[in-house]
Amino acid sequence: MTLTPPDRRTMMPREAESGGLGEAGSADIVKVAATLVSAAVIIAALYYGQDILIPLAFAFLIGFALNPPVMWLRRGGVPKVISIIAVMTVVLVLLAGLFVVLGTQLRSLGEQLPTYQSTINSKFNDLKAQFKAPGIFDSALNAIASLQKEVEAVQGATAQRVEVVPAAGTQMQVALVWLGRALEPLATAGIVLVFVVLALLDRSDLRDRLLRILGGNLHRSTDAIEDAGRRISRYLLMQLVVNVTFALPLTLGLWLIGVPAAPLWGVVAAVLRFVPYVGALISAVFPLALAFAVDPGWHMMLWTLALIAGLELVSNNIVEPMLYGTSTGLSAISLIAAATFWTALWGPVGLILSTPLTVCLLVLGKTLPQLQFLDTLLGSVPALDPATRIYQRLLANDVEEAIEIAEGEIDTLSVVPFYDAVGIAVLRLASDDYGRQATAAHRLRVAEGMDALLEELREEHPAAVVTDSAPKVVCIGGKWEIDAIAAEMLAHALGLEGIPAQTRRVVHVTASSVARLDLDGAPVVCINYFSSEPDSAVRQFCRRLRQRWPELEIVVVLWMVPAEALANDARKDIGADEVATSIKEAIGRVRRMLPEVAGEPTEAEPPANDAERVAALHGTAFLDEALRDDLDAIAKRAADAFDVDVAMISAIDSDREVIIGRSKELSGFGRDEVGRPTLPRQAAICDYVVAGGETLIVADTERDARFTDNPVAKAWGLRFYAGAPLRTGDGHVLGALCILDRDARALEPRERQLLEKLAADIIETISRKDADRSSQQQAEGDAEASATIGQQVPK
């Protein structure tokens, strides 16, 4: 085994590996050509079929918006047809009322417009008078005008303009033309209305047909349809809320300023803001023009402009970011590109539909592997992860931008998690590329860039402890440059966690080189290795260290060795006291070696109100044996849903953990007075959930210093743990719903939410039992009181 990077002699030039264009290259060209032809056919179909597709698109868009109230009525027991009729009736009545109000406002405004004519003429005359004054451009404009007259004279001498005036049609023909123009939007609206009703009636059938079209994995297709519906519905709802929150203060402000028909302009703004980008500008023109016409001066127009500009600033910078969030999942540039594409294809209607249609394309890109490029092009998720972005900037010798990206990530993660999630990942990329794609210039840029980045982070985020005196921990790079950079990261992270740490460099692991490390007074040393096979090198280094400092405790951090490849006795094989694979784990293991160092507790501490919490536990039906069957059923459902070995529902008492519900019988436990499994509280991992008050996820107990020696984890061979708190309405955490497995694994955010939902179901079950018990006690008390009242009075 060796610590050096991959042998460069085994690497082949890319040209030799590809072997020229060949059959593979021809096949790729055919695929690209077929893709381009298919895209052209689809775009042509969208363009020439817009008369049918636009009403369909509007209908499905409105259907997404109206489906939530329909489903709400159906959950209330209202039949489907009645629910749809009720919702459509409400919508039509609201639209009719809106048109009546708008018509009234327009009629009133039309009656007042002649009175504004004198004001408009006066303002235009003033403007003309101001512009008639001689200016510096008058001579140039006069010269251009004279030149234009000469050109027109020459053209008139050689040719005459002929204009063909069509003959006037009959009154019937003119009437038919105007009638056709009026009926066209009404017919389109009728078609959309019919499609909306059909979409709401046959929603299940349409969903089944779409699932059949998507094909493939039924789970993935179902998630895709739900995702699309959720994104579009949320987008429409948030757009409505944003427009209303803009229109209401606009109406009030215009009314206070004195602009006529203020409600009309509020409604116009709310409607036109559904049109991206240009709708807000168009809606602002009407009140500004009216303010210009009404007020003889300029105050009303300026106040109106200030009102609209202020509301736009608040809406764009506060309301929209707060409400929208990631509702669509589209990037800003994809929204603009989509608006341009759909507007060019379908005109102004395409601009309105651009966002919902693009959301559908994004979901297709997430669902179908063949269209995955759409997710990359349109999605808001960055195309490159932070580690890859920083690594690429270092390769490009753009250290400033790499530092900027790192600071942005630190604002979200803080320094230590950044090192673990991003910094070490950058070094892994550099280690993988060493001897393959990387050149000497690339390697030098990465090393110097990482030095500059770490220096910047140490200055911006200094450690709280002073390391000039004898350090508690010395971090050493195993052999090459990447190891040394990792040691610098670990030392900074230890300092930020309150553990004094310094770094040392060693080039050759010889007796003389190791003696020069000057480790006198340092109780712990951390050796860092970026190598997939470091055993022999680590063993030699540990042996040299122990020969010189027998009492020294050694932590070996193996950054490239998978966690699952490390057995429990790996530290003994290589001569180390502890083995870690991450910065967080290394900090935890160092803290166990240095109990005198202040920092996060290595054991769960009871909450401050633990006595009240225990009293609340005994005041509920949680410990009632009658709940056992119900809680066992929930635990079994959780174990099946998450595909784990065991699921448990535990209550944390003052000194013990009581397993109330479990998916299967458990061995190795004590028993309480009714035969339920129990554990000492200090051995219960669920006690950490009670102490923290939030969901705890341990991907691998062997890699978490808190649980490496946990007796339950060792007895069961437990590797994975996830527990959600069982929190009452009063805020007391009674225990936890936990899932456990013998294999290390991760838990996705949606799975975490599902686990927390099941925990909420348990609390609801306990609450129902409490309510039943209270009712029963009240009934027994009433019966006892009635019996007492009915007794004869002793004589």
Side-chain angles (χ1 to χ4, degrees):
M1 297 183 185
T2 181
L3 194 64
T4 57
D7 190 352
R8 286 171 289 181
R9 292 175 297 178
T10 62
M11 310 308 298
M12 298 179 62
R14 190 172 298 177
E15 293 81 7
E17 293 178 356
S18 60
L21 186 62
E23 296 181 359
S26 301
D28 292 339
I29 293 176
V30 172
K31 289 181 179 179
V32 171
T35 301
L36 294 176
V37 170
S38 300
V41 171
I42 292 173
I43 293 174
L46 290 173
Y47 178 77
Y48 290 105
Q50 58 182 293
D51 292 338
I52 298 175
L53 295 176
I54 288 177
L56 278 174
F58 264 117
F60 284 111
L61 183 63
I62 297 172
F64 276 118
L66 298 182
N67 186 64
V70 171
M71 296 303 297
W72 180 76
L73 290 175
R74 292 193 61 190
R75 284 194 291 267
V78 182
K80 179 194 291 186
V81 177
I82 303 299
S83 301
I84 295 173
I85 293 174
V87 171
M88 294 301 298
T89 301
V90 172
V91 171
L92 293 177
V93 169
L94 290 177
L95 289 177
L98 181 63
F99 281 121
V100 170
V101 172
L102 294 180
T104 304
Q105 294 284 321
L106 286 173
R107 184 174 66 254
S108 175
L109 185 62
E111 295 173 353
Q112 298 175 3
L113 281 179
T115 63
Y116 307 143
Q117 185 174 359
S118 61
T119 303
I120 297 173
N121 292 334
S122 176
K123 284 190 175 181
F124 275 119
N125 291 333
D126 292 341
L127 292 175
K128 287 180 181 179
Q130 293 178 4
F131 282 107
K132 280 183 179 179
I136 59 175
F137 298 107
D138 287 349
S139 58
L141 294 174
N142 292 333
I144 294 174
S146 61
L147 179 61
Q148 183 178 2
K149 290 180 180 179
E150 292 179 3
V151 173
E152 290 177 351
V154 173
Q155 291 179 346
T158 56
Q160 293 183 350
R161 182 179 179 183
V162 178
E163 182 178 357
V164 178
V165 180
T170 63
Q171 294 182 351
M172 180 60 70
Q173 291 174 339
V174 174
L176 290 176
V177 170
W178 283 102
L179 182 61
R181 292 177 180 176
L183 290 178
E184 183 176 352
L186 293 177
T188 303
I191 294 173
V192 170
L193 180 62
V194 172
F195 281 160
V196 168
V197 174
L198 292 177
L200 292 175
L201 281 172
D202 296 334
R203 181 174 178 271
S204 299
D205 182 65
L206 290 173
R207 180 178 56 192
D208 294 343
R209 294 180 184 277
L210 186 57
L211 287 171
R212 183 63 180 269
I213 292 174
L214 291 176
N217 190 314
L218 188 61
H219 300 83
R220 186 174 56 193
S221 300
T222 301
D223 290 341
I225 293 177
E226 291 180 355
D227 187 26
R230 181 172 58 254
R231 288 175 185 268
I232 294 176
S233 298
R234 176 174 171 79
Y235 165 74
L236 293 175
L237 177 61
M238 293 301 102
Q239 181 72 67
L240 178 62
V241 173
V242 168
N243 293 358
V244 170
T245 55
F246 182 90
L248 290 177
L250 176 65
T251 302
L252 179 61
L254 293 177
W255 178 74
L256 292 175
I257 293 171
V259 178
L264 172 64
W265 309 128
V267 173
V268 169
V271 173
L272 287 180
R273 285 175 67 85
F274 277 100
V275 181
Y277 309 112
V278 299
L281 296 176
I282 297 174
S283 65
V285 171
F286 300 106
L288 288 172
L290 192 57
F292 173 82
V294 171
D295 187 13
W298 296 94
H299 293 85
M300 182 178 290
M301 183 176 178
L302 293 177
W303 277 109
T304 303
L305 179 61
L307 173 66
I308 295 175
L311 289 176
E312 286 288 349
L313 288 174
V314 172
S315 179
N316 295 336
N317 296 287
I318 299 177
V319 178
E320 291 185 10
M322 180 176 62
L323 293 179
Y324 281 138
T326 56
S327 59
T328 61
L330 298 172
S331 63
I333 191 171
S334 68
L335 285 172
I336 298 175
T340 304
F341 172 79
W342 290 108
T343 303
L345 202 64
W346 286 353
V349 175
L351 182 60
I352 300 174
L353 296 172
S354 60
T355 299
L357 292 175
T358 310
V359 167
C360 294
L361 292 178
L362 173 66
V363 174
L364 287 177
K366 292 179 177 292
T367 305
L368 301 178
Q370 302 87 341
L371 300 178
Q372 191 173 5
F373 69 94
L374 291 175
D375 185 21
T376 303
L377 291 176
L378 304 176
S380 59
V381 178
L384 299 177
D385 59 84
T388 306
R389 293 176 64 203
I390 293 176
Y391 181 56
Q392 189 276 329
R393 302 312 189 265
L394 295 178
L395 292 177
N397 205 23
D398 191 353
V399 181
E400 290 76 11
E401 188 171 354
I403 294 174
E404 182 179 347
I405 296 171
E407 288 288 1
E409 292 297 315
I410 289 173
D411 290 341
T412 303
L413 298 174
S414 78
V415 179
V416 176
F418 166 78
Y419 281 152
D420 234 345
V422 181
I424 295 300
V426 174
L427 299 183
R428 285 197 182 99
L429 291 172
S431 178
D432 289 339
D433 287 346
Y434 193 96
R436 293 189 291 184
Q437 293 90 347
T439 63
H442 290 149
R443 301 185 196 108
L444 187 60
R445 290 175 182 176
V446 170
E448 293 178 347
M450 287 301 299
D451 285 340
L453 188 150
L454 292 178
E455 184 65 28
E456 181 72 18
L457 295 184
R458 282 192 291 263
E459 292 180 1
E460 292 293 329
H461 309 276
V465 295
V466 179
T467 58
D468 294 337
S469 58
K472 293 290 185 180
V473 181
V474 173
C475 300
I476 306 173
K479 184 173 183 181
W480 60 312
E481 189 69 22
I482 299 297
D483 299 338
I485 296 173
E488 295 280 353
M489 284 189 188
L490 180 56
H492 187 207
L494 287 167
L496 292 173
E497 292 294 317
I499 304 174
Q502 292 180 358
T503 57
R504 302 280 192 276
R505 285 181 176 264
V506 62
V507 179
H508 305 290
V509 185
T510 60
S512 58
S513 297
V514 170
R516 289 195 298 269
L517 287 175
D518 188 19
L519 300 180
D520 294 331
V524 179
V525 64
C526 293
I527 311 175
N528 297 262
Y529 279 101
F530 268 91
S531 174
S532 58
E533 298 178 346
D535 295 27
S536 59
V538 175
R539 194 176 296 111
Q540 179 185 4
F541 204 161
C542 291
R543 185 173 63 253
R544 296 285 188 187
L545 289 174
R546 295 202 184 280
Q547 289 175 353
R548 182 69 177 78
W549 295 279
E551 302 299 325
L552 187 67
E553 293 191 89
I554 302 174
V555 177
V556 176
V557 189
L558 303 177
W559 301 109
M560 298 291 287
V561 178
E564 56 271 14
L566 296 176
N568 292 327
D569 56 352
R571 59 176 183 258
K572 299 179 182 178
D573 294 340
I574 60 178
D577 295 289
E578 296 285 356
V579 175
T581 60
S582 67
I583 286 181
K584 180 180 178 181
E585 183 186 356
I587 293 173
R589 298 195 182 281
V590 167
R591 182 168 281 125
R592 291 180 59 192
M593 295 176 172
L594 303 172
E596 71 277 9
V597 175
E600 294 181 358
T602 56
E603 296 182 359
E605 293 186 351
N609 61 342
D610 194 57
E612 297 179 9
R613 186 196 64 81
V614 173
L617 171 64
H618 288 277
T620 67
F622 194 15
L623 297 175
D624 194 338
E625 180 65 15
L627 276 177
R628 177 172 180 176
D629 292 338
D630 293 337
L631 297 183
D632 283 350
I634 295 177
K636 177 61 176 175
R637 181 178 301 172
D640 293 341
F642 291 97
D643 191 22
V644 293
D645 291 333
V646 182
M648 300 190 314
I649 300 170
S650 65
I652 302 298
D653 208 339
S654 58
D655 59 348
R656 62 180 181 176
E657 176 186 35
V658 182
I659 309 302
I660 308 297
R662 61 269 194 191
S663 60
K664 67 179 183 181
E665 289 297 327
L666 304 174
S667 59
F669 285 87
R671 299 286 171 173
D672 67 357
E673 54 277 4
V674 294
R676 293 175 299 199
T678 61
L679 276 174
R681 183 171 178 175
Q682 60 270 22
I685 301 180
C686 292
D687 196 25
Y688 285 84
V689 180
V690 173
E694 59 184 16
T695 301
L696 172 67
I697 299 174
V698 183
D700 188 352
T701 57
E702 291 187 4
R703 306 268 60 84
D704 193 316
R706 295 172 297 177
F707 308 113
T708 301
D709 298 326
N710 183 273
V712 178
K714 284 186 170 296
W716 289 2
L718 171 65
R719 297 287 297 275
F720 169 76
Y721 172 93
L726 302 177
R727 182 179 285 104
T728 64
D730 297 333
H732 296 297
V733 179
L734 306 182
L737 165 64
C738 59
I739 53 176
L740 310 97
D741 201 80
R742 297 179 182 274
D743 296 323
R745 57 183 289 183
L747 200 67
E748 297 180 357
R750 293 183 64 180
E751 292 177 324
R752 173 173 177 158
Q753 295 175 1
L754 179 60
L755 184 66
E756 292 171 348
K757 179 182 178 300
L758 288 175
D761 292 342
I762 294 173
I763 291 296
E764 185 178 351
T765 301
I766 297 171
S767 299
R768 285 199 304 267
K769 184 64 176 178
D770 286 338
D772 294 342
R773 185 169 62 179
S774 299
S775 300
Q776 183 178 358
Q777 291 176 351
Q778 183 177 0
E780 292 175 354
D782 293 342
E784 183 178 354
S786 299
T788 303
I789 293 172
Q791 290 178 355
Q792 295 181 355
V793 178
K795 295 181 181 180

